[in-house]
Amino acid sequence: MVLSNATVMKGHTLVKEPVYVDEQGLISDNPDVGGGEIDCNKCLVMPGLVNCHGHTAMTLLRSVGAGLPLQRWLEEAIFPLEAKMRPEDIAAGMTWGAMEMLSGGTTMVADMYDFPEAGAKALAASGMKGNLCRVGLAFSDTEEVPPNRLKECIDFVVAHPEGGKIVGDFCIHSEYLTKPKFCTAMAEANKVFQRPVHVHVSETEKEHQECIKRHGKTPIRYLADMGLLDYGGYAAHCVWVTDDDLKIMRDKRVTLVHNPTSNLKLGSGIAPIVRAKELGVNVALGTDGCASNDNLNMFEEMHLAGLLAKGSTRNPAALSVWDLIDMATINGAKALGREDTGVIAPGKQADLIVIDLKKPHLYPVNDIASLVVNSMQASDVIMTIVGGQVVYNRGVFKHVDVWQARENLDRCLKSVHSSST
Ligand SMILES: [Zn+2]
């Protein structure tokens, strides 16, 4: 396949040259690839976006619990509904969320939710890539809750090895929902697999301070001392992390996943991403679940991350537009151990998006990188390509029957929201 006549984002430069995609779905420098030509005149071709922290099936709970602070939001609004979710609900919510992401230019997601096998199947069927996990949870140190949880975490990692469209990672929900014995056991198990760990860290001041009271150390220090970060990881939120925490994250190759919309909506604060970058921490972006967002729009996260960084440091040069594009693309790919994607270069996976530049809000084109961060909307994406396959093209999903997906979602919504009030 050849994408012709486009402006192409190659690293931090913009070039007018074709993108060749070979039969293996890799970007090639050989013009003799088959598969036809796609005319991308007056379009931008850039790497697909990587949503580095989500609970995609929470599309079923869009906008639920608005106005509540995190702990009450979780306990009063979210947990009671999640307790009613079955694998088919997760699948329906995942498919619906994948549609939103694919049509908005996201090609890969790091997802943390219940029934990950059902989620993984639905995500793979949509054509998207993802790093998923069985959530590590243990409310008590004397028994595993629910039973066999650690085994399920390990089984999921074994079932989804590196290199596939769906990769299994380890996950600790958070310091506050996972007792030390479980954390130690997971760290021990990961010595075999050496996978990065997906975790919520220091999202609220209360969580951060309570961890210090409980253990005499911050959540990041605690997780590092447990051995959970020995093979890297991606830590969502990190709103209250200290300089020492950031240095640990840098040294342990733990990515700070910034979720600006979610952190603002729940009143959690603003993560110190400028300081993190100064100290050499990899920073990526995520939407979080869409009950705390209320969409899965990575263009919005890029835009907001830039504004917050500049406003909170009172420095308009705090982050460049290229820093923000990297956070939404290659930094996310790195965080998930996906060094084969996130950038347009020969030999990399063809995970690409095509954006229509003929819209009023995208013209005149004085600075494309600035347009991407500050002007573009998810709805400007007209084509999404994953692993060399066109999976979304001008409103049409190659692998998802939209009406069937809506019917499934409506059926699940009825069941999840029934007798909840
Ligand atoms: Zn989250």
Side-chain angles (χ1 to χ4, degrees):
M1 174 202 307
V2 184
L3 304 180
S4 60
N5 299 318
T7 301
V8 179
M9 185 182 287
K10 277 186 136 183
H12 289 183
T13 50
L14 293 150
V15 294
K16 274 269 186 192
E17 59 184 52
V19 180
Y20 303 111
V21 177
D22 71 16
E23 281 180 2
Q24 280 79 48
L26 302 178
I27 295 163
S28 172
D29 48 14
N30 180 2
D32 298 327
V33 288
E37 180 177 343
I38 298 172
D39 187 350
C40 300
N41 189 30
K42 295 199 170 57
C43 290
L44 169 69
V45 175
M46 67 175 281
L49 307 177
V50 180
N51 182 350
C52 231
H53 179 68
H55 313 278
T56 307
M58 280 182 101
T59 41
L60 290 159
L61 309 182
R62 199 187 299 274
S63 312
V64 164
L68 294 175
L70 182 72
Q71 283 312 321
R72 287 191 56 204
W73 175 77
L74 279 172
E75 286 161 20
E76 294 171 27
I78 301 299
F79 287 160
L81 293 175
E82 286 184 335
K84 290 198 271 178
M85 286 190 191
R86 308 153 300 168
E88 56 263 45
D89 303 317
I90 301 299
M94 178 64 94
T95 301
W96 201 254
M99 287 164 60
E100 182 180 350
M101 287 192 278
L102 286 173
S103 62
T106 298
T107 50
M108 183 156 67
V109 63
D111 196 81
M112 182 201 287
Y113 218 48
D114 274 347
F115 302 114
E117 278 301 349
K121 249 192 210 159
L123 191 69
S126 77
M128 252 186 97
K129 293 180 176 178
N131 283 35
L132 278 69
C133 54
R134 177 68 171 129
V135 184
L137 275 175
F139 304 129
S140 151
D141 236 353
T142 51
E143 55 171 347
E144 279 194 329
V145 181
N148 300 321
R149 178 64 73 127
L150 181 62
K151 183 177 178 304
E152 291 168 13
C153 295
I154 297 169
D155 288 348
F156 191 80
V157 170
V158 171
H160 302 281
E162 278 179 90
K165 272 197 166 175
I166 305 293
V167 171
D169 284 338
F170 280 108
C171 164
I172 291 287
H173 177 278
S174 54
E175 174 275 332
Y176 62 96
L177 288 185
T178 321
K179 291 291 183 205
K181 257 190 200 164
F182 187 96
C183 292
T184 315
M186 182 175 279
E188 193 56 36
N190 198 19
K191 283 183 181 161
V192 176
F193 303 98
Q194 308 193 352
R195 298 297 306 156
V197 172
H198 192 175
V199 59
H200 292 109
V201 170
S202 299
E203 179 173 359
T204 63
E205 186 176 21
K206 179 171 178 280
E207 168 202 337
H208 187 80
Q209 294 302 339
E210 283 182 355
C211 177
I212 294 172
K213 259 190 231 156
R214 262 193 298 273
H215 305 293
K217 49 183 106 170
T218 63
I220 277 287
R221 167 71 67 190
Y222 168 82
L223 294 167
D225 287 353
M226 285 280 172
L228 277 164
L229 307 180
D230 285 355
Y231 305 99
Y234 36 106
H237 306 303
C238 298
V239 173
W240 293 92
V241 290
T242 62
D243 270 14
D244 278 350
D245 291 336
L246 291 171
K247 286 174 193 160
I248 294 169
M249 291 172 75
R250 174 194 60 203
D251 295 344
K252 296 276 187 187
R253 294 175 298 107
V254 174
T255 296
L256 188 164
V257 184
H258 185 34
N259 298 262
T261 303
S262 173
N263 296 154
L264 291 178
K265 189 182 177 205
L266 291 171
S268 303
I270 301 169
I273 59 166
V274 177
R275 184 68 181 143
K277 187 173 171 288
E278 271 168 19
L279 290 172
V281 178
N282 187 45
V283 180
L285 290 175
T287 57
D288 210 357
C290 75
S292 64
N293 190 307
D294 302 346
N295 61 40
L296 306 176
N297 178 351
M298 286 289 290
F299 284 95
E300 206 168 274
E301 301 306 320
M302 249 191 293
H303 186 205
L304 196 50
L307 295 180
L308 283 174
K310 292 163 196 194
S312 62
T313 58
R314 286 179 285 169
N315 175 10
L319 287 177
S320 73
V321 285
W322 287 113
D323 290 332
L324 290 153
I325 291 169
D326 284 351
M327 284 163 56
T329 55
I330 192 165
N331 293 6
K334 263 188 217 162
L336 306 186
R338 306 270 200 161
E339 305 285 344
D340 62 350
T341 187
V343 64
I344 299 179
K348 298 287 183 183
Q349 289 272 319
D351 298 332
L352 306 167
I353 57 177
V354 181
I355 296 154
D356 181 6
L357 294 175
K358 297 186 292 293
K359 302 269 187 81
H361 63 281
L362 299 178
Y363 195 82
V365 183
N366 293 316
D367 179 345
I368 288 190
S370 182
L371 282 183
V372 170
V373 172
N374 296 308
S375 310
M376 271 176 196
Q377 306 297 319
S379 51
D380 296 329
V381 174
I382 54 173
M383 186 182 289
T384 302
I385 297 168
V386 182
Q389 300 289 316
V390 177
V391 293
Y392 172 77
N393 187 4
R394 292 182 167 82
V396 178
F397 296 91
K398 184 169 181 207
H399 300 299
V400 183
D401 177 333
V402 177
W403 294 110
Q404 183 66 57
R406 175 62 190 260
E407 213 174 285
N408 292 344
L409 191 82
D410 285 344
R411 198 177 51 247
C412 293
L413 282 169
K414 237 185 193 166
S415 128
V416 169
H417 289 278
S418 68
S419 68
S420 64
T421 50

